Amino acid sequence: MTIIERLDADLARTGMTVGRHPMAHVRQEMDRLGITRADRLDKIRNNIWVKIAGCVIARQRPGSAKGFMFMSLEDETGLMNAIVTPDFFDKNRLVLLESRFLIVEGPLQNVDGVINIKAQKVASLPLSTMVATVSHDFH
C-alpha cells in the first residue's frame, strides 16, 4: 500500500490514523502554493491576504448568525477558522459542503488574539478524493 492508501484505510476503518496528519503528506506542495500553516497565522498582521488549507473538521451555520457559516480546518500544526458570508456561501455551496479538504483564501482577521480568515476564494484539494475523513457539520 502507498502512504495515502494506508492513511485512507486507517481513516475509513477507525476514523483516525496513528501516522502523520494527512496534510503533512502534501506540505511541500502546500508550501509551493503559498499556503500558510496554522501555527504561523498568529504572526500575520490583521487584514493581510492569506491562503490556508486543511481538513474540514466542523461546519456551523447557526440560525442566529444571519446566514454566516463558520468552518474549522485542521492541518498538521493546528486549527484554523474561516468565516463564510451568506453570499459567498450561496455561490460556493457545493465546494463548501462537499469537500473534505479545502483551500481557503481571504483577509486574515486578528482581533484580540482571535484569528479568522474571511473566505473570499475556496477550492477543493485533490487529497479530498483519496482520504476518508468526516467532519462534524451543523451540530
Side-chain angles (χ1 to χ4, degrees):
M1 293 176 93
T2 68
I3 291 171
I4 297 296
E5 288 170 339
R6 248 183 295 142
L7 178 62
D8 193 39
D10 284 350
L11 290 169
R13 286 162 185 76
T14 66
M16 63 181 182
T17 180
V18 295
R20 295 167 57 200
H21 189 280
M23 292 300 294
H25 298 285
V26 294
R27 178 49 53 198
Q28 284 184 324
E29 174 71 11
M30 297 297 98
D31 290 344
R32 200 164 36 80
L33 293 173
I35 305 293
T36 303
R37 295 181 350 196
D39 65 348
R40 294 186 178 156
L41 291 176
D42 64 340
K43 296 161 185 61
I44 298 172
R45 290 191 332 266
N46 195 39
N47 287 322
I48 299 295
W49 188 275
V50 296
K51 286 194 247 185
I52 61 171
C55 175
V56 180
I57 60 170
R59 293 175 181 92
Q60 297 178 350
R61 199 170 188 213
S64 61
K66 299 179 182 175
F68 280 80
M69 183 173 80
F70 306 97
M71 293 190 312
S72 295
L73 287 77
E74 179 184 65
D75 70 10
E76 72 277 24
T77 68
L79 297 175
M80 302 163 282
N81 296 309
I83 299 172
V84 178
T85 64
D87 288 342
F88 188 79
F89 178 83
D90 291 341
K91 292 175 188 169
N92 298 279
R93 175 185 300 267
L94 189 60
V95 172
L96 289 166
L97 295 180
E98 299 291 325
S99 300
R100 295 175 180 163
F101 289 81
L102 285 173
I103 296 174
V104 178
E105 295 184 50
L108 179 131
Q109 297 176 335
N110 187 344
V111 179
D112 296 326
V114 177
I115 298 171
N116 295 295
I117 309 306
K118 185 178 177 188
Q120 294 191 359
K121 289 186 181 181
V122 67
S124 183
L125 275 174
L127 186 61
S128 64
T129 61
M130 296 183 281
V131 180
T133 62
V134 178
S135 61
H136 301 279
D137 294 341
F138 310 109
H139 292 284

